[in-house]
């Protein structure tokens, strides 16, 4: 069923619930042989993930999920095989982590104004290098302001809600350039999750491909067969390779467990093969 590949996973270095070591142990136990830890806008977990991968005999690709903007919306671009020491990556990370810290303060203020415990939530995530809205959602649950994280997004943090802060992430094209400059392959994450019309989605994918993007995440955690078909069509139309990733944040959420993934359709070239040793790239 599966390709034994999972190239989209989160740890506590961003908004996952497992430390990199524990995540890699879970990945190994799930039968996956090649994985990438792809935390939001940080490479902080890479060394620990790589060391754990060696202990478990797994192939580990360097990974990151960079926040980007396209036509005023936030989109996510996974970078695979990037050199963590490349200046393009340290700049990309430093800039986005600065935006995250700034945004965390703005979210806290807006929560307070809306009558929610924003300051207490901010205090609870102080010191986290890469604060995300997920951290706020969990804090609001712990503080009794929401029943579960989904409800916190629906009531406060989601688009159009009182504590939503529009963030000027770097442009999609610049984000792809940063990943390529660091020797990596750029993958447009979960292409069907963005709220777009069919035409807008094709434009997004075309802009990504024209900008040097390598692949589309054709198989993502929880995707139904018709969604995989739709993503496959988008990839083929744009001449992109395909990637596979669970986007696991919490193994308790069954559909996003590592390795619980459909096989990548054979019609599309797997990104981990196109950018493999044959082309002499570091993936
Ligand atoms: P951020 O990058 O800080 O804006 O946070 C985005 C993250 O929030 C995503 O990667 C998801 O993990 C999480 N997220 C977004 N929307 C929801 C939602 N409706 N329910 C639960 N988690 C969400
Ligand atoms: Mn996330
Ligand atoms: Mn994402
Ligand atoms: Mn993700």
């Amino acid at each position: 069923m599966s390709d034994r590949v999972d190239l989209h996973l989160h740890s506590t270095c961003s908004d996952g619930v497992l430390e990199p070591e524990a995540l890699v142990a879970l990945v190994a136990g799930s039968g996956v042989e090649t994985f990438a830890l792809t935390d939001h806008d940080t490479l902080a977990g890479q060394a620990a993930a790589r060391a754990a991968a060696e202990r478990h005999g797994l192939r580990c690709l360097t990974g990151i999920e960079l926040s980007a903007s396209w036509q005023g919306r936030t989109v996510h671009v996974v970078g695979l095989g990037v050199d963590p020491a490349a200046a393009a990556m340290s700049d990309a990370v430093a800039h986005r982590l600065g935006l995250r810290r700034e945004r965390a303060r703005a979210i806290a203020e807006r929560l307070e104004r809306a009558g929610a415990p924003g300051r207490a939530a901010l205090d609870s995530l102080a010191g986290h290098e890469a604060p995300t809205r997920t951290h706020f959602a969990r804090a609001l649950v712990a503080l009794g302001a929401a029943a579960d994280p989904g409800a916190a997004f629906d009531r406060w943090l989601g688009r159009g809600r009182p504590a939503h802060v529009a963030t000027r992430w770097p442009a999609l094209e610049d984000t792809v350039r940063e990943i390529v400059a660091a020797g990596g392959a750029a993958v447009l994450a979960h292409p069907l999750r963005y709220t777009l019309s069919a035409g807008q989605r094709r434009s997004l994918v075309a802009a990504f491909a024209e900008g040097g993007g390598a692949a589309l995440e054709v198989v993502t955690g929880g995707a139904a067969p018709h969604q995989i078909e739709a993503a496959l069509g988008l990839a083929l139309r744009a001449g992109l390779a395909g990637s596979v990733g669970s986007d696991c944040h919490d193994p308790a959420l069954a559909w996003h467990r590592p390795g619980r993934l459909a096989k990548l359709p054979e019609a599309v070239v797997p990104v981990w093969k196109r950018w493999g040793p044959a082309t002499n790239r570091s993936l």
Side-chain angles (χ1 to χ4, degrees):
M1 196 47 187
S2 122
D3 291 291
R4 299 184 181 276
V5 170
D6 192 337
L7 302 179
H8 190 155
L9 295 156
H10 293 275
S11 76
T12 46
C13 293
S14 66
D15 54 352
V17 300
L18 297 178
E19 306 267 341
E21 293 79 3
L23 178 71
V24 175
L26 182 81
V27 166
S30 72
V32 166
E33 292 167 354
T34 300
F35 76 96
L37 172 63
T38 55
D39 279 312
H40 297 287
D41 303 321
T42 174
L43 291 162
Q46 296 302 308
R50 190 160 294 274
E54 271 172 36
R55 288 196 295 278
H56 288 279
L58 302 182
R59 181 176 179 227
C60 172
L61 309 184
T62 311
I64 191 164
E65 182 173 17
L66 290 177
S67 309
S69 295
W70 179 76
Q71 298 198 350
R73 292 157 197 280
T74 297
V75 295
H76 287 172
V77 184
V78 165
L80 297 174
V82 293
D83 174 3
M89 264 308 104
S90 20
D91 293 351
V93 165
H95 178 50
R96 287 171 177 80
L97 292 182
L99 290 174
R100 283 192 174 276
R101 283 189 290 270
E102 221 173 89
R103 185 185 61 159
R105 287 191 294 271
I107 290 175
E109 270 170 37
R110 292 201 190 188
L111 282 170
E112 285 291 332
R113 256 184 271 148
R119 261 189 308 271
L122 185 64
D123 286 345
S124 78
L125 54 82
H128 198 290
E129 194 207 14
T132 68
R133 284 185 293 160
T134 311
H135 293 100
F136 275 100
R138 292 190 192 129
L140 289 169
V141 173
L143 291 161
D148 56 68
F153 274 92
D154 290 347
R155 182 158 179 206
W156 313 105
L157 302 165
R159 236 177 133 207
R161 308 311 300 157
H164 185 263
V165 175
T167 309
R168 297 171 66 94
W169 302 114
L172 174 69
E173 291 80 358
D174 294 334
T175 304
V176 171
R177 248 193 299 277
E178 289 168 327
I179 290 168
V180 171
V187 180
L188 185 63
H190 40 68
L192 298 186
R193 223 188 281 161
Y194 312 112
T195 310
L196 297 169
S197 70
Q200 285 173 322
R201 203 178 310 279
R202 282 195 297 273
S203 305
L204 165 65
V205 174
F208 174 74
E210 280 156 25
L216 218 57
E217 202 171 75
V218 169
V219 176
T220 81
H226 74 274
Q227 294 172 315
I228 296 174
E229 275 305 305
L232 172 67
L234 286 167
L236 294 177
R237 188 187 177 107
L240 292 166
S243 189
V244 167
S246 64
D247 202 5
C248 177
H249 288 71
D250 179 351
L253 304 174
W255 285 108
H256 293 261
R257 281 184 73 88
R260 276 199 65 162
L261 289 162
K263 206 168 156 42
L264 185 67
E266 278 171 15
V268 69
V269 181
V271 67
W272 61 95
K273 294 205 174 133
R274 186 185 279 188
W275 272 268
T279 49
N280 209 18
R281 298 208 16 182
S282 56
L283 259 202

